[in-house]
Every structure is written in C-alpha cells, then in structure tokens.
Amino acid sequence: MPLKTGDEYVASIEALDLEANVLGEPSRGLAGHALVRPSLRAVAVTYDCAHDNEVGALFRVHSPLTGEQVNRFTHLHQSAADLVDKVLMQRHCGNRTGCCFQRCVGLDAANAVYSVTYECDRALGTGYHRRFRDYWAWVQREDLVVAGAMTDPKGDRGRRPSEQADPDLYLRVVDRQPDGVVVRGAKFHQTGMLNSHEIIVMPTLALRPGEEDWAVCFALPVDAPGVHYVLGRQASDTRKLEGDPVDVGNPTFGGQEVLTVFDDVFVPAERVFLDGEVDWSGPLVERFAAYHRQSYGGCKVGVGDVLIGATALIAEMNGVARASHVRDKLVEMIHLNETLFACGVACSARGLPTAAGNYLVDLLLANVCKLNVTRFPYEMARLATDVAGGLLGTLPAARELDDPEVGPYVRKYLAAAGGWDPLQRMKVLRLIENLVAGAGAVAYLIESMHGAGSPMAQRIMIGRQGDVAAKVELARKLLGIPPNNHS
Amino acid sequence: MPLKTGDEYVASIEALDLEANVLGEPSRGLAGHALVRPSLRAVAVTYDCAHDNEVGALFRVHSPLTGEQVNRFTHLHQSAADLVDKVLMQRHCGNRTGCCFQRCVGLDAANAVYSVTYECDRALGTGYHRRFRDYWAWVQREDLVVAGAMTDPKGDRGRRPSEQADPDLYLRVVDRQPDGVVVRGAKFHQTGMLNSHEIIVMPTLALRPGEEDWAVCFALPVDAPGVHYVLGRQASDTRKLEGDPVDVGNPTFGGQEVLTVFDDVFVPAERVFLDGEVDWSGPLVERFAAYHRQSYGGCKVGVGDVLIGATALIAEMNGVARASHVRDKLVEMIHLNETLFACGVACSARGLPTAAGNYLVDLLLANVCKLNVTRFPYEMARLATDVAGGLLGTLPAARELDDPEVGPYVRKYLAAAGGWDPLQRMKVLRLIENLVAGAGAVAYLIESMHGAGSPMAQRIMIGRQGDVAAKVELARKLLGIPPNNHS
Amino acid sequence: MPLKTGDEYVASIEALDLEANVLGEPSRGLAGHALVRPSLRAVAVTYDCAHDNEVGALFRVHSPLTGEQVNRFTHLHQSAADLVDKVLMQRHCGNRTGCCFQRCVGLDAANAVYSVTYECDRALGTGYHRRFRDYWAWVQREDLVVAGAMTDPKGDRGRRPSEQADPDLYLRVVDRQPDGVVVRGAKFHQTGMLNSHEIIVMPTLALRPGEEDWAVCFALPVDAPGVHYVLGRQASDTRKLEGDPVDVGNPTFGGQEVLTVFDDVFVPAERVFLDGEVDWSGPLVERFAAYHRQSYGGCKVGVGDVLIGATALIAEMNGVARASHVRDKLVEMIHLNETLFACGVACSARGLPTAAGNYLVDLLLANVCKLNVTRFPYEMARLATDVAGGLLGTLPAARELDDPEVGPYVRKYLAAAGGWDPLQRMKVLRLIENLVAGAGAVAYLIESMHGAGSPMAQRIMIGRQGDVAAKVELARKLLGIPPNNHS
Amino acid sequence: MPLKTGDEYVASIEALDLEANVLGEPSRGLAGHALVRPSLRAVAVTYDCAHDNEVGALFRVHSPLTGEQVNRFTHLHQSAADLVDKVLMQRHCGNRTGCCFQRCVGLDAANAVYSVTYECDRALGTGYHRRFRDYWAWVQREDLVVAGAMTDPKGDRGRRPSEQADPDLYLRVVDRQPDGVVVRGAKFHQTGMLNSHEIIVMPTLALRPGEEDWAVCFALPVDAPGVHYVLGRQASDTRKLEGDPVDVGNPTFGGQEVLTVFDDVFVPAERVFLDGEVDWSGPLVERFAAYHRQSYGGCKVGVGDVLIGATALIAEMNGVARASHVRDKLVEMIHLNETLFACGVACSARGLPTAAGNYLVDLLLANVCKLNVTRFPYEMARLATDVAGGLLGTLPAARELDDPEVGPYVRKYLAAAGGWDPLQRMKVLRLIENLVAGAGAVAYLIESMHGAGSPMAQRIMIGRQGDVAAKVELARKLLGIPPNNHS
C-alpha cells in the first residue's frame, strides 16, 4: 500500500540516521534534533493529509505508472486538472504548516526528468526514460520523499563551468565506469534534505558542447557514501533549542536548508538519467524551473493565508480590527495573495501534454507567477508589520511571564482588547515575527526571491516566451505598416 | 443562420438610423459618422472572426438554447472551459482592434440575468426566466449586439435612491400597466450603445425593501420611443473628423461612450426580467460585475499586447531595441499584462455552474482580476511612454509632411534607425499616444479604472469573499489558540 | 526698468510676428492663435507675479550683473537660498496656471552656460564668459523670455553624431566665418518657443575629440533668418479651436511644444558661447540637466497642487468627500506631491557655489528629484482618475447643456451633491481630464517622463554620483574586511 | 568640559549598574552583557565623533543655554542649518554603526519639551520652562544620554485611557504630593534605555479635558526606585551570545529595545514639565513626533548606505557586479535612500523658529519623510536580498569553516569571484541578513514602520497639514468657479 502515514514516514527517516554538521558540530539523531524535527513534522503533514477525511481525495491520485493510488506528491501529472490540483494541495499544506513543507522539489524534478528523458531517448536513442520510469514507480510504491538538487555553487557567476578556478564549482562527472559514474561537486540551498529518502540531482544551467561532464542527472539515496551535509542557519534558528515554543513563532513546523557535498560519489548506471547530452540540460532546467515556479503559486499562497489570518487576529487583539485602514490593509493582503494564486492556477489550467504524456505548465505564465512571488510576499510582510505594531520588534521573551517579579508587569501591560490572554497575543506576534523577520522569513521572503531561480531568470524566460515579434506584428497590422526589410 | 458577417452587422445598424446628440448637435446617419463609424468597425470584427479560418472555432459555439451554432458573444457559458474561451476570444479581439470592441457587456448581462431570474423564479414563483430564455434565444438566432446599461447617475453618492433630491437619479418604474411598465431615468457610460441593436437595463446596486421601484431589469430595442442618446467626448476625439487617419492613432477602430436617457419609456411585460424583487438586485449586480471583471482579463490584455508591440516597434525605430533597460521595460510590460491574463484565466478555470446551469466565474478571483486592471495598464502606459520618448507629446501633425516648405525638414529630422520611413514612425507614435493620452486611453486607462465598477467596489467584494475568518482559524490552529469567547 | 508686466510682455511677442507651421498650415499672427495664445498667457503670469503684492518679493531679486532688480526667471543664483526660492516661485506659477509656464528652460540654460564658460575660459583661455555675461545682462535688463534648445533628433540612438546616416541629425557647425558660425540641424521638444524672444542652443550630449563640429553653444533671436518652426500636436489640442473653454479643461493657460529647424543659420561671434571645446559639452549638459531636474521639483508640484484641489472638489461634488478611502487617496496624492517638493528643496538647500560664483544644485539630489517626477505624477493621475469617476471618459460636450432637447436631460442627470451646478461639475471633470488624458497631460505626464532627460539619464547620473565605492568602504570597515588586492 | 569620550560614556553607564530582566532572568552587569554591550558601543560612537578630526565640527556646537560647546546630540536647534546638520550627523552615525545608535529620542524630546513648556507657561502661567531649561543645561554640561519614552501599552486601541479595563494602560499620575508626583504605568519600545543616564517621559496622544491624570511629562534618572526594565527580543538575538561575531552580522554594534515599567514612581517637582495641562499634550506629541520623523531621514539613510555598500560588495564577490540588472538595482537602492535623505533635509531646511526660540522642522515635510521611511527601506531590503542571492537564507555557520571534515568543503564551495576569501563573503552575507531578516531588521524595518509613530499617524498629519482647502481654491480660481454656498 503506497500511502504511508506521517508517523510511518517519520519512522522511516529516523531509521536512516543521517549525519550532518549542525552549527559547527557533526551530529547524528537528526530526526529528533530540535533544528530538524520541525521539518519532519512539516513533511509528515503531506502524508497525513492523504488519510484525511476532508482533503484526502485531493492528495490521493491514481498513478498509471503503478496502477495504484499514490500520494499526489509523487504523481506524474496526467491532465491540466492534475496541475491545478497540485496547486490546491500545496496551498492546503501551506495552510496547515505555515511554512515550506519541502516535498515539492522532488515532484517537480520527476515531472521534468520524465518528459526530458523521453525526448532525449527519442532524439538520441539513449535509454534514460525507461530507467527513470522504473525508478519513479519504486518511489511511488514506497511513497518516498525525494529532494531535488539543482543549484551549483557557481563561484564567479560571470564564468562558465569550465572557466572557473575550480571546475568542481559546478557538479560534474569525474569518472565514468562500466556500471556507473563518479561525481564531484556540491549543491546549495537544498530545501529539506535531511528529511528525505532520495535525492535527484540536475544540472543548474543550459550546457553547451564541450561541457559534457557537467550535463549529468541522477538519483541517489540520501545516505550514499561520499555525500556530506551542512545545515544552513536561519534567522532566530536557535530559539528552537531554547525549549519555549512561543518564542519560536511557528511552534510545530519549520523548514530546513542544507549544503550538500558530493565528494567522488559513485552513481550506479540505473540511476543515471542524463550523462553528457548537453542539449537536454537546457530543457531539463527550464521545465523543472517552470514546475517549481508554479509550485510557489500554491505553497506561498498557503503560507500567505496564515499570515493574513495572524494579521487579522492581532488586529482584533489590538482593538483595531474595525479601523478602515486596517480592513483595507487586510483586503490588500488578500488581493496580493490571490493574485499569486491566480497565476498558479492559470499556468496550470493552460498546461499541455508533453511528448511523454505527462502535463507541463504554461511556461510563460509559470514564470510570471514566480516573478510576482518575488514581490508580493514582501509587500504582504510589510503590511502585516504595519498592522501588528511595534511589539513585533520589542516583545520580551515569553518566559518573562513566569518571572516572579516582572511576570505580573508583562502580563498587566500586554493586556489585549476583547479579553484575549497576553500569552495568546505573544503567540500571534511571534508567528508574524517568524514570517517577516525570523526563521519563517527564510522560506516566505528569501526563498520567494531565489527559490526556483532568482527574478532575473524569470525575466529572461518572460522575454523569451513573451513573443514580442508577434506583438509587433499586431501593431504593424493595425497601422498598415509593412515589415521593414532593412532591419 | 445565426452567424452574421461584419458587413451584414453594419448594414443592420445602418438600417436602424438612430438619432443622437453629438458634440452639441442632434445627428442622424450615425453609422457613417466619423465619430461613430470606428466603433461599428470594432464590433464588426467580432462577427468576422466567427467566419475566420484561423480563429473561427473559438468564436463559434453550440447553443443549447437554440440547438444551433451561435457567436460566442451571445453564448450562455456551459462549462469552465467556455469561460476560459471567452477570455481567449476577448484577448484576440483586443489584438485585432487595439481598442474596446464593445460587445461584452450584453454577453455578461445575459449570463447574469439568466441565473438570477432562475433563482428568483424558484424562490418567489415569478416567471422571469422563461421570458429571458425566449428573449435571448431570439438574440442568438438574430446574432444581435446587446448593450448593457447599469450605472445610474447617482447624484449625491452618499445617499440612497429615495433620498436623492431627484428620485430619477436612479432609473425607476414610474408606472405599472397591465401589459408593461413605464421607466424613467438615465444610464451613464454606455459603451457602444449607438452600434447596438438592443439594450439590457439593470439596477446599479443592491436594493432594499422600500426601494422596489428601482429594482427593475428589462430589455428594449435601441430605437424604442422615449430613449435619448448623448455621445460622450473622448480625448482627441475630433481628430477623427480631420480626415487624416495617422493623427488619430488607431486608424480604423475605436470606442464610443454614450449617456442614455429614458424619458417615460414603455417596456412590454415580455421584456421585463425583474420588477420590485429587491432581494435579487444584489445578486444581479454582483454576477454581472463578476463576469465583466473577468472580461477585462481578456480585452484589456489584448489591447496591452498591441501596446507592447507598438512599444517594441518604436524602440526599434529609435535605435534602442537592444539597450538592456529597454528590453527590461518590455519584459515588465509583458509580465504585467500576463498577470492580468492569468487572473482572467484563473477566475474562469475555477468557475462553477449556477442553479440555472450556466457557469459563473469565481467571484473572488474575478474581483482580484479587475483590481489589478485598475493598476497595471497605468504602469504599462507609463513604461510605453518611457520607451517611446518625448515625441509622444511634441510630434507635429502628419500633414506637415506634405507641406512644401517644412515637409522636407520634418521628414529629414524624423529619420529613424534601420531605414524606417518617418511616416511609419509617426504612425507608431500616434498609436501609443492614442492609448496613453488620447481617445484610446478612455478605454485603456479610464475604463480600466471604472468599467465594471471602481476599485473600491472590488475591494469590498474581496473583503467579503476573502473569508478572513477562515484564515484566522488557520493561525489559531497552528498556535493552539482557542476561540475567544469574549469577543 | 527691467520688470515688464504681463501685458508688456505679450505686446512684445505680438510685435515679433513669428511664422510657424501649425496643423499643416504656414501661419502668422501666432500670438493671437487659439493654439498659442494660452501659452503666452502662462508666461505672462511670470511677469505679473513680479508686480503682485502678495508674492512679488519672491519674483524680484537683485542682480549683481546689472545692479538692478530683475525677474527671478532671469536670475543667476547667488546662494542656496536663491535656489530654494526658485523652486518656491515655480510651485507658485504652477498653482496659478495649472500647466507648464515655459520660462524655466532659459533660466536653467543661463546658469549652466555661466559657470561652464567661466571654467572653459580659465582652462583654455577662450573668451566666452565675458560674451555670455554681456548677453545675459541685456536679457535681464530687457526682461526677456529665452527658450533653451537641447534635444537633437538623434536618428539612430545607438550611434554617435558622426556615425548617423545624416550628420545633421545632431545640430552642428557647417561653416566657420570671421565674424561668426553657420549652423545646421534641428531641436525637438522646444517648450514654449513661439512665446519667447530668444533661444539658447546647447549640445545634447558629452562630445568627444573628433566631434568638435557638434560642440556648439550659442544664442539667437527667435526671428533669426533660417530658423523654422513646426508646432507639435497635443492630445485634444483642437478643443482650443472650438470656442468653448469648458471642454478645453484649463480655460486660460496652456503649453506649447515646437520642432525648431536651423537651416544654415548664421550666428554672430558675440553670441557663440562654445565652439569645438568638446570637453565642456559634458559639464554643460550635466549642469543644465541638473538645474532643470530641480525645476520639476517646483513646477510639477505646483500643477500637482491644482490636480489635488480639483480631485478634492470633484469628490465633494460627487458626494464622497467624507468616504475614508477617498480621503486616503487625497492624502496619498499630497504625500507623493510633497515628496517631489522635498526633493526640489533638498537639492537646492544643498547647492554649492561654482567657480564662476553662481550656485549649482546638488547633482545627486537633483537627479533623484527628477527620477521621482517620472513616477509620482503618474500615480497621482491614476488616483485622481479613481476619485473623479467614469465621467472623465464619458462626459458629453458642455454645449449639450444648451441643446433645447437634450440640454435639460444632461443638466438633470449631472446633478451633483451639495447643490453644485452641473456646469461647474463639468468644468472640474474637464480640468482633471486635461491633466490625466488631455493637452495638460503632455506637460504633466509625458514631459514629466522625458523633460530634462529621460529616466535612464537620471539613473546613469545617480549611479555616477552615488559613490558606491564609499559605501562599500563603510561595509568593509564595519566588518573588518581589508580591500581586495586581487580585484 | 561637556564633551565626554566614548570610553568615559561607557564607564559612566557601567557605574550605574542597572538591573533588568533579560531572556527571563533578572540580570546585572548589563553594560558588559553580550546582548547590551553592542548598544553601548553604538552610543559611544556619538561621543567619539565629537573628538574626531574629520567630522568633529559637525558634532560639536555652541549652546546658548550653557555658553559652552556641547555635543549636538544634546543641542537645542538654533537655526534651520542646525536642523540640517542634525540630519547629516545622524547619517554619519548610521554609516559608522550600521544600526540604530539610540541617542536621538532624547534630543527630539528635549526640543519638543523646550518649546511646548514655553508656550504652556505663556498661556497658563505655569513654570515648566525654567525647570526644563535648568534640567537640560545640566544634561548638556554632563553630556548625558537621555532616553525618550512615549508609547503607552494602550490595551484596547479603540478606547480612550479612562475607558480601558485598567487605567494604568496609559501611564498616569496616581498621587500628587507637595514636592512631586507619583506615576504608574509602562512605556513600550524604549530604544536604548539600558545605555542611557536619564529618561524623559511624555504622553502618547492628545488628551482631553477629564484626562488630566494622563497629561504628564517628566524626567528621571534611569535608576530611579520603582522603575523596572524587561529587554525585548530581537530576531537572531542570541547569536550575540554564541561568541562568533561573524554569524551576528554586525560584529560590533547593535540596538536594544526595552519595556519600561513605572510602579508608583516618585518624580520630584523640579523634574515635572507638564501635569494636567491637557491642551499641551497634543502639541508635545506632534512636535516630538515631527522631530523624530525628521531623524529617520538621517539615521535610516545612514544604515541604508551600509546596506547599499554591502550589496555592492556581495555583487562583486558573486561575480555579477557588472551585470546591467545588478547595477540597476544598486541605482534604485541609492535613489530610494537619497529620496529619504532629501525629505530629511527638506523638512529641516524649511524649519522655522518656535516662540521659545529653538527651531522646529516643517511639520508636513517631516511627516512625508517618515511615511516614505515606512516604505523604501522595505524595497531596499528586497533589492539587497535579490542581489545577495539565496545564501542569505542557507549559509552555514561560520564555525563550520573550522570543522576538520566539512570545513574544507565549505571553504571550497563558497569560493568567490575576484579571489575574495570565503570568510569575507560570509561576513558580508551575514551583515545583509542582519539588516533584512535579523537583529538589524528590528531597527531597519520594524522600527522604520512604527518608530516615531505608525504610518496611519503620518497620514493623519499629512491630511491635516496638507491644506486641501487651499488646493481646492487653486482649482476653483483657475476654473472661475465661485465657492459653493450650499455645501
């Protein structure tokens, strides 16, 4: 039965017992580590929802690959409706966790690799697609979490991989053996690596002839020999170590970002999905990015809903819920959030089948979606900060409430409108702080900027997909201007 | 055969020979009047497209009402896909005309009246829905243009209809007779009235008990006795009278806005679709507005495409097409335009069937769509102005080119990059001027602000549809905060 | 006595009896031409204010050049306080005229030429500064209007002057004679040329060795032989010919933009202020631009005040003056307008003396000022459009009020709140239309974008003046990072 | 000699040995506490600068109160130039510290109290002004840091002080004795309290008759009996306790926000500057706010310079410094920052003398300044995040560099362009993180929103000071519309 529960998932990760460096220390038992545990809880929600009475139907879907019901987080989209459902599912997970739930990257990678390997095989006679189908059918049956790894360190960004002082600054094949390849390099910004079972590694840019060693795509178990992890720091991360969930802001869930190093790691041939076919690196990057840019039209919207809710709640606690400017700011937040959602839905509803049969989002609209995500959450955070008030930056620690001397003062002077308890007010303020200037801001603001590619990457795609020439044609026709033969 | 050609349509309007006041003069022969003719040509495009090899399939659709193919501009939407197709059709018409093509209001009115009369009948036992079906089947079979009339003059907007100094400031029933009603009042901002066959009149706001006389919905032929028309002025309107299409900007197509007065007009009972049922005025306004707010996610996007194309073309003529800041501005324009399109698509794709069977857009997303339309075309116009250069505001008349003395100077100094002819450069500049500060700006900017309701109307709907309470619930659950019994 | 009255000024222009092409016709008697007269009236305000009891002191200033009181519009700034007073004077003129009053360009040109000729002479031993002092002392004594001409046609903007298909696309010296030079070329966008006495011509960009022929600066009377004028069209310009001031919007005042052609015009040596000194073309352009970018922090703010006032008045007439969202939009308009004013004041208050003794604005802040002017008036126009309502785009002609049949209808249905007369309401709507989509928008929007240089010109200057290196130093010091020897 | 050095200042604070609750613990030795020490270092800069060869002259100023040179941070402004110099001084301190340097509040309070007590005395015959002069002369002579305390807890913000469930939610006089008053209440958001010598307490809003007990203004030493302090938490605050300055971001300086409780504290009569004169509470709040809103046009600009520098530096390290979009983003950051500075300068340059003789900023422009501060730093933080890249949210701890196993990996893969050391790259990333989502964001973002009043407070003042009526008058005059007698 391919639909694990959240508990089963957590147990499966605990069993892996990965090692990683955390705050300068080699650490084990990560699944229970206060800095990592919240990220497992967030992923567990994606499992539990498939068993949920209310929303389960959205999370369960028939897989033509296995002939069984699978979790939609492992699904190869079979229709535009599937693409829309993906966005709805992501919004729901954002609603439940208030953070990045870290299971989309693998889903987006799989859908990209699926169609690109098909087309590569058709063009070049390679055999990657069958390999990938087999691999992914196993992932679906086991209901695994697959992290996706794309971003290379890049060193001097003004130079191609081979021009870098160190060629490893882009991950590459350093040895080709009969039964597999050996790779070296690193991937930055791995969201949710330490709570995954598998990794899919993809190139980070469109490669050119002569850059074959960097044109490699493959999968590995997270505990493959030679793979090393270093946990990234987040703002206010160590509040999770202090033992008081109130000051953490999001008391249960959280994200996780990891630097992953591949130090001459062997990848068996059956897990290699591209090796040297430089022409297919571009489409792979482009499609993965498009799927992932669509994702943000769901997940960030889901977190945005939580931020709107928290803002409305603090307005009530502050006694300003009925002020016209406060209502107007909430309307603006909803408007911005729903615009993002509209973009997520639209690029999905306009999706089309690939040659391989799974569905791809509309590339132009998916990039438009993400470019808006690099803007609107920032304005929403600004509006939330406005409504929440200065306590966002000056609130004492929750444990002051227990201090025999100052506790009564803090309680007395944090008195809220409507009889709300000061502790509840603290909780709401800390949740908003978490999202606008704390650990949650890593996913809600910084990742909204750079995840799935920085804004300039979207602008380049929009320029390419926007078909300016056709628009010039419209103007020319309307004006009766013949094409210019001279230009 | 219900699919007229553009020429047949034009002939049918010519045959009506309406009278209207134009620039202070009672005028006839309007179909050939230089200020009105462009608006007939724009509507004719909606007919010709149904016969077009390339796009005809999008414009023709099977009507369950008549059992025949009808023009989609008269269609009652049978699915979410129909709603999306409406948006695509509108974008195409915008692409072809570069202006408002004035046939959407009736379409949007019909879909709103269709479902609201059904529900009113079901609730109150009235017989409006059958009447409206009969009426609309006739419209479909005759392939008519139906103007929609909603906006009352309103007088002092701080007061209800009955509180106005003059009760006629909201259109109302002044007499009820056995075979019909007599109405008095006026409607502002009637887009494309003088090129229509019929008018549907609707109330402008949600009425309350005691305001029954204002709760009236009906249809009339445009030449009904007692109906009077006064043409609105547009920026640079009289350039159309000068005889030189270059200075007009859009040489072929244009819009038209009319003040319509109903001076004790008799409406036969068979054309009355609401009379005193105040509770159904709100839903009627809300649904019409939602459909029409969706429309803007198509038509304004289509005009936006033309503006982008003209901007790219003038950049080429100015020799700056390759400057990074110019390309960036074009990308921004595309991004904004596609965000509007995404909203149009999304509110359609998320559409749902009404009780009557036709499909209604997602109300929240349709309002989000329109609220963006009150913003982004302004920024697009600003960016187009930036790229086009100062000649937008200082270009001499095209006929200076023919002046024996200064003509050669004008030609010499308007020399463009890439060998483009100065006349062509003039045409492109005039088209952009038309859209950012001329007659086209009435539809592209002013109507984008106020058409289908001013921004505050959308904000109110977004506040209502955004379900803040559910979002507060999400935050509360995440934080383990019980509901506040005191508030 | 160097302080003319407005009437004296008008008479002096009438006496010149210039010829220009207007709407395709060679025309004389321009001072009385309906398309030109409003621009004389606007300039006349700058004269009358010097005799005004209330504000005269601001307009009159002691000139060290002549030892007499002169109109500040001809003043060489002697202090930072003088620079601030210039901005205050400009705001006042905008308040009085509601349009561009067209007398700043010459003032800004004079202050730039004054200091640049001084430095050029000092460096190269030329004798331009004395010539210019003599010239300008005469201008001050005669209280003349001097148009400034900078923008060349430029042809293909990707190419230098000498690389153009036609070298005349940048104005140049075509012959050097013992007693003067002969110039050929044209200048675009000449604001207020037909109401001026003199022209100062300057190069349009920083020239390089080899481009000496284009490095020319000089003055001429407007009626010099070989100078030709072609009036530019403005949106809705011909409403001024219709005879009804209401539909014009701004009933009294207006602007004027001219294409000026120099067809082998002789300039006597005494009026040549630069001829071939390429190194001084850059500073001349830069300083003129800076003064003129400062100007916009006064004049556009003055027009903005009128737009805000008109918006508040129409809100009152519409009965919505007390709605919180309307008040909020007015506050936003004031905020944006005052931000522009703050920039105008700040670049003045931070002004410093040049080597020649007159004061120059802070270059960085003046560019910041203008870059904001390319943005905020657009948002203000959008907000005014929002508050004013759809009638902005659909209002019938004012003369409909006099029509025996429809006049009573128009009057009845344009009834306003608070008992305002429909005609007054029309006037206010037409003034707002004038500024957001009519003849006034040429100055308020298009000129705000491109006058004194397009936004990219300001961005380049801000990048240059912003001293990023010093800011990097601040960050390095704070972090204890030594400079990087490798980079 | 009234000009202490930074060291002397630090010693004087150490000598006070205050007690405060920090992270739930009563703590002493705060001057050396890792969470407080950086805030002393920041204030020490304001002292050291007065002895600095380069900038000392800006920080030293002659006081007419004492007849001696004093630190400008204690100065009563004697001219508009003094007001401008204040802004320059603040920008410089922001440049040196990269954070809030916490000494402005007392300066702004003093200038407000000085003029308000003068006017109160004049109107009511009270004797507050002399008291305050004596007090402030002592502050100048001793070169003290005076914290300003304005923001009351407010409880239910929809209610007046006397309507609150607990009247202490606004600080009030609970007892009046022959030689002084006893006060009870609390003040939120006290910036830099634990590094101050004195506190000035002011009311938080304009009080009305019947609210005399809340209309109280006074000064106290920070160690007065009955005063209690609770330190507020900042994002990532505990990184300062970890011992590694790199991860802190700003390695030396920082801010501090405190909740201050007054539990029946006795204030001697000589330190009471208002007691029951409700009419003077409004002007006091308004003037203090205006001065403090001006301050943000200096201090936040100074921090903005550091952020721009850090952004340019990371661009260089990332190898993208020459990309046109990166340069454009830096230009935009400079533009926004200089717009804030222009507002700070303008409200100062337009300052006017009060009746008491010291200078007050232009109230309208000061509010405009602050309203921009609630927006632009957010956009600057967004742009910095864009340029800096995803490492902002995923960078490992600096101490990973020392780990024997992963250290070499981290070093290898963080390799930067131009040969910059990975550790230096980390430092720059951490400084940017500090300002956009860390402890520095409390001052740079949250305080920019709420410090000196939330945006709505500025909007109300702009609405009041903007003189809409005079602007309506301008429009009326231009249109020849008489005033409306009916409205």
Side-chain angles (χ1 to χ4, degrees), chain A residues 23-46:
Chain A
L23 300 180
E25 304 282 333
S27 309
R28 282 204 173 272
L30 295 171
H33 192 295
L35 285 186
V36 178
R37 188 73 177 182
S39 78
L40 272 83
R41 288 196 208 102
V43 174
V45 167
T46 70

Side-chain angles (χ1 to χ4, degrees), chain C residues 83-316:
Chain C
L83 290 167
V84 172
D85 281 344
K86 175 193 162 192
V87 170
L88 294 173
M89 172 180 76
Q90 292 170 314
R91 185 171 185 169
H92 182 77
C93 292
N95 282 176
R96 291 265 283 252
T97 62
C99 71
C100 172
F101 37 88
Q102 308 153 64
R103 204 180 172 187
C104 310
V105 193
L107 170 63
D108 294 336
N111 274 281
V113 175
Y114 188 81
S115 67
V116 167
T117 51
Y118 182 92
E119 293 171 38
C120 176
D121 287 1
R122 203 172 53 173
L124 306 180
T126 46
Y128 297 127
H129 188 63
R130 197 266 316 144
R131 281 187 193 170
F132 184 73
R133 286 175 61 97
D134 290 349
Y135 171 64
W136 201 253
W138 171 73
V139 166
Q140 288 188 336
R141 268 185 234 108
E142 300 293 322
D143 202 3
L144 302 179
V145 177
V146 183
M150 180 167 272
T151 312
D152 291 289
K154 296 200 192 92
D156 182 340
R157 295 188 203 176
R159 304 185 179 197
R160 301 289 308 175
S162 65
E163 299 164 3
Q164 298 290 331
D166 176 353
D168 304 341
L169 285 166
Y170 286 73
L171 185 143
R172 63 188 179 121
V173 176
V174 291
D175 192 18
R176 287 187 177 80
Q177 299 171 355
D179 54 346
V181 300
V182 177
V183 298
R184 190 189 302 151
K187 293 285 180 178
F188 276 0
H189 323 316
Q190 298 315 299
T191 301
M193 185 62 87
L194 305 179
N195 49 12
S196 300
H197 305 94
E198 290 272 316
I199 323 171
I200 289 183
V201 174
M202 296 164 285
T204 205
L205 81 173
L207 295 157
R208 304 172 186 166
E211 301 176 330
E212 284 74 12
D213 289 349
W214 291 274
V216 61
C217 172
F218 58 90
L220 278 177
V222 289
D223 54 358
V227 181
H228 303 268
Y229 302 106
V230 189
L231 188 72
R233 296 209 69 166
Q234 304 196 327
S236 299
D237 45 9
T238 54
R239 289 199 194 168
K240 293 173 190 166
L241 303 176
E242 295 175 7
D244 184 338
V246 174
D247 283 9
V248 174
N250 188 327
T252 310
F253 305 109
Q256 180 215 109
E257 303 279 343
V258 173
L259 162 60
T260 306
V261 176
F262 299 81
D263 191 357
D264 292 358
V265 176
F266 176 77
V267 185
E270 271 307 290
R271 290 291 186 258
V272 175
F273 309 126
L274 215 64
D275 178 15
E277 296 79 8
V278 288
D279 289 352
W280 298 98
S281 58
L284 182 53
V285 172
E286 191 171 288
R287 289 183 205 175
F288 167 74
Y291 281 120
H292 208 47
R293 288 166 194 177
Q294 168 212 26
S295 287
Y296 283 24
C299 66
K300 302 302 180 202
V301 175
V303 177
D305 286 329
V306 173
L307 181 60
I308 293 166
T311 304
L313 186 50
I314 198 66
E316 188 188 321

